[in-house]
Amino acid sequence: MPTVEAAQSEQNQSRAYASPESTGGRSPLNRIIPAVLLLLFVGQCLWFMRTQSLTNDEALHIVAGTEAWRMNRFERWNDHPPLVFLLSTLPVLAKGGTISIGYDVRYADGIYPSPEVVAWYGRIVIVGLGVLLGVLVWLAARRMFSEGAANFALALYAFSPALIANFSISCNDGATALITFAVAMQLVYWRRTQSWGRAIGLGLLLGALLSTKFSLPAMFCLALGLVLILKPTTIAWNPKNWNWRQAIAMVAVSLFFVWGTYFFHMTKVEVKNGFVTVTSPNRTKATTGDTHKHFNLTAYIPAGEYIEGMGRVANHLNLGHPTYFLGHVSFNKGWKMYFPTVIGLKWPPVVLALFLAAIALGIAGRIKFPPDLLIYAIFPAVYFFIAIFSKVDLGERHILLVYPFALLFIASLWEYARRNRAIFALFLALLAVNAADVLRYAPGYLSYFTPFVNPATSWKLLSDSNLDWGQGLLALRDYQAQHPNDPMYLDYFGTIDPKIYGIRYTQLQPNHRVTGTVVVSATNLSGQLLDDPNGYHWLLQYPATILDHSLYVFQVPESASASPAAN
């Protein structure tokens, strides 16, 4: 293989510092290719939206967003900052009072006018965010490499199951990937001139970062650390030479942005006679507690709901969460190999192989990565390292932000490959192989596993949002329409009452043996959230039909013995 010459590396670096206009004119074909790829991405997102029921967290998030808009209240499910939910519910808000969700303790027990309509209006903005991330990945790859490399990365992006799925549901994991990538991109642009205009822009993006997910303050601190030490061509190790003024300004702008997402609420904290009372605007009730300290104090805190939410998430991370991994359940510890294994099982093999090849060639010195790419890489590397030690291992979506950065490294391979016609042809073939592989799961992209995993037994490896996040109710409704006379026992993993989708069923409990048609969600089949993880393994002896990769329909013969508790 020929090595990449130093002159080519310098040329690439000059591209990285050039504006889009300075790279020269583009042919009409070069304009059409990225547009077509983005349309393919959107088409698959819409296909997903039309065929997948509301997932586990969506109804909660839609309720949280609409309550924030209509009541200026941030109370229920305050385990995420509000920015994404405010954006995603704008179409819901535009419909006025024609969309509503009623909630009891466990289920969304009433949705008007229908769950399909609510899902459509709650998801469509998220699709737009996915398009925006695709554009940013394309722009970043074009600046550092070439339009061919950018198109190659975007072609992989358009057929990435995790991106399609998480940009088709009303949740904030896709937005987390978008805003982290945007922060890294703006940081690279700011570094070149360190102008105040770009500094304010970066400050606004940092505010959006804090307002997207409570797991992102680490990325905020990382970005600020880089702001302090980065110079246009060097790194300032002496604190006297750090960019203190602009860093402080960015902090001020970002915190003001966060405050704005809470509608500039002021939370009153009052300590009196050993008790603390916390009152936020429009809350149904104040929060009280015993401080065990006898002093009096009254303070007002901007966006106190944000601090409350951070506390809840920190407590959750400390306590852990029931997690299923390779046939075993951990109730509060998690596994350090969880996310590396998730990448091996959930990333398309073409993407994973190309990414590893790029890293290997870079380490071997066959590819010279531009300095800008190394700055980009710091963000996913640090985030992935932190994720490895998390006690809350719930799915690929928690490390989704790593994926678009990996596509930038893959783009570097295009520059390497186009020098050799055989490798160039191989890369074009790999695009077709990747699309064919991903389409095996269409439109149920959320459940995608590598071809080396048997779809019938994927629940033995991973569950929850890796496989079954409650998205199969539309498929179950169609199945019941085809078998209208078969009574159904069901244990469904999700926060939507299946009756809202018109499904008739009898609730099934673990270890309650029944006969006839028995439907169990893959997550419940794994036992991740059950007191007895083996509670449904008695069904494995019977034949099963899999609906939407996530619901297992067992036919238990009448000759099988039923447990007394089920009768």
Side-chain angles (χ1 to χ4, degrees), residues 381-401:
V382 171
Y383 191 87
F384 188 74
F385 179 80
I386 294 172
I388 286 176
F389 294 93
S390 172
K391 296 179 181 179
V392 180
D393 299 334
L394 293 182
E396 181 188 15
R397 62 191 177 89
H398 282 190
I399 55 166
L400 185 67
L401 70 80

Side-chain angles (χ1 to χ4, degrees), residues 220-511:
F220 175 84
C221 295
L222 172 62
L224 280 180
L226 292 172
V227 165
L228 285 171
I229 67 173
L230 289 178
K231 296 295 182 180
T233 58
T234 61
I235 297 176
W237 298 111
N238 188 339
K240 292 182 179 180
N241 298 325
W242 287 359
N243 302 306
W244 288 107
R245 292 176 61 197
Q246 290 199 358
I248 293 172
M250 290 180 196
V251 171
V253 169
S254 61
L255 294 181
F256 188 80
F257 185 101
V258 173
W259 190 21
T261 63
Y262 287 91
F263 303 149
F264 301 105
H265 281 184
M266 296 294 293
T267 295
K268 180 181 179 181
V269 180
E270 185 176 21
V271 181
K272 188 174 182 180
N273 299 327
F275 286 90
V276 60
T277 302
V278 180
T279 307
S280 294
N282 305 313
R283 287 288 182 100
T284 56
K285 61 180 180 180
T287 303
T288 61
D290 191 345
T291 65
H292 304 289
K293 301 291 183 180
H294 290 276
F295 62 91
N296 295 334
L297 172 69
T298 300
Y300 292 88
I301 301 174
E305 299 99 328
Y306 187 90
I307 299 173
E308 176 199 26
M310 280 284 291
R312 288 185 179 183
V313 171
N315 185 57
H316 185 202
L317 293 174
N318 180 57
L319 294 176
H321 190 94
T323 303
Y324 183 80
F325 181 54
L326 303 183
H328 300 280
V329 176
S330 171
F331 290 99
N332 55 13
K333 293 182 179 179
W335 290 271
K336 291 182 176 60
M337 284 303 298
Y338 181 87
F339 286 116
T341 304
V342 165
I343 287 178
L345 294 173
K346 296 281 290 177
W347 280 24
V350 168
V351 172
L352 181 58
L354 289 174
F355 172 65
L356 294 178
I359 297 299
L361 289 171
I363 293 174
R366 306 295 293 274
I367 293 179
K368 295 287 187 181
F369 295 134
D372 283 355
L373 182 57
L374 300 180
I375 294 175
Y376 275 101
I378 295 173
F379 288 87
V382 171
Y383 191 87
F384 188 74
F385 179 80
I386 294 172
I388 286 176
F389 294 93
S390 172
K391 296 179 181 179
V392 180
D393 299 334
L394 293 182
E396 181 188 15
R397 62 191 177 89
H398 282 190
I399 55 166
L400 185 67
L401 70 80
V402 175
Y403 195 93
F405 291 96
L407 295 179
L408 290 186
F409 280 91
I410 292 174
S412 70
L413 279 178
W414 182 267
E415 300 303 296
Y416 184 85
R418 68 178 183 171
R419 296 171 171 272
N420 185 303
R421 290 186 177 181
I423 299 178
F424 183 79
L426 173 63
F427 274 36
L428 292 178
L430 287 176
L431 292 179
V433 170
N434 182 71
D437 169 38
V438 170
L439 288 171
R440 291 181 305 117
Y441 275 79
Y445 297 102
L446 188 68
S447 305
Y448 172 87
F449 275 81
T450 173
F452 304 107
V453 174
N454 182 354
T457 58
S458 54
W459 66 268
K460 296 181 179 180
L461 302 174
L462 301 168
S463 61
D464 208 287
S465 58
N466 291 304
L467 172 64
D468 162 41
W469 213 20
Q471 72 272 20
L473 290 181
L474 288 171
L476 182 59
R477 184 176 67 185
D478 291 341
Y479 176 87
Q480 190 169 65
Q482 296 168 7
H483 304 82
N485 298 321
D486 295 348
M488 178 186 296
Y489 293 92
L490 171 65
D491 192 14
Y492 163 74
F493 170 65
T495 54
I496 297 294
D497 188 339
K499 293 177 181 176
I500 293 177
Y501 280 90
I503 296 169
R504 307 176 308 279
Y505 70 98
T506 299
Q507 179 65 45
L508 180 67
Q509 299 296 331
N511 292 312

Side-chain angles (χ1 to χ4, degrees), residues 148-194:
N151 289 336
F152 185 67
L154 188 58
L156 294 172
Y157 182 100
F159 288 92
S160 295
L163 294 175
I164 296 168
N166 285 283
F167 279 111
S168 302
I169 57 179
S170 185
C171 291
N172 59 0
D173 298 294
T176 297
L178 165 64
I179 193 60
T180 305
F181 194 92
V183 165
M185 192 173 189
Q186 182 66 12
L187 176 65
V188 166
Y189 293 167
W190 166 83
R191 183 194 184 194
R192 298 170 189 168
T193 63
Q194 300 195 351

Side-chain angles (χ1 to χ4, degrees), residues 85-98:
F85 309 143
L86 291 173
L87 292 175
S88 65
T89 51
L90 281 172
V92 177
L93 189 72
K95 292 290 291 183
T98 62

Side-chain angles (χ1 to χ4, degrees), residues 54 58-59 62-63 76 99-103 108-112 118:
L54 287 164
E58 284 188 273
I62 293 172
V63 169
R76 291 205 282 180
I99 291 178
S100 64
I101 301 178
Y103 241 94
D109 55 349
I111 295 181
Y112 181 83
V118 171

Side-chain angles (χ1 to χ4, degrees), residues 65-78:
T66 53
E67 284 192 353
W69 281 119
R70 293 169 178 169
M71 306 177 190
N72 287 354
R73 184 168 68 197
F74 305 89
E75 183 172 13
R76 291 205 282 180
W77 306 296
N78 185 27

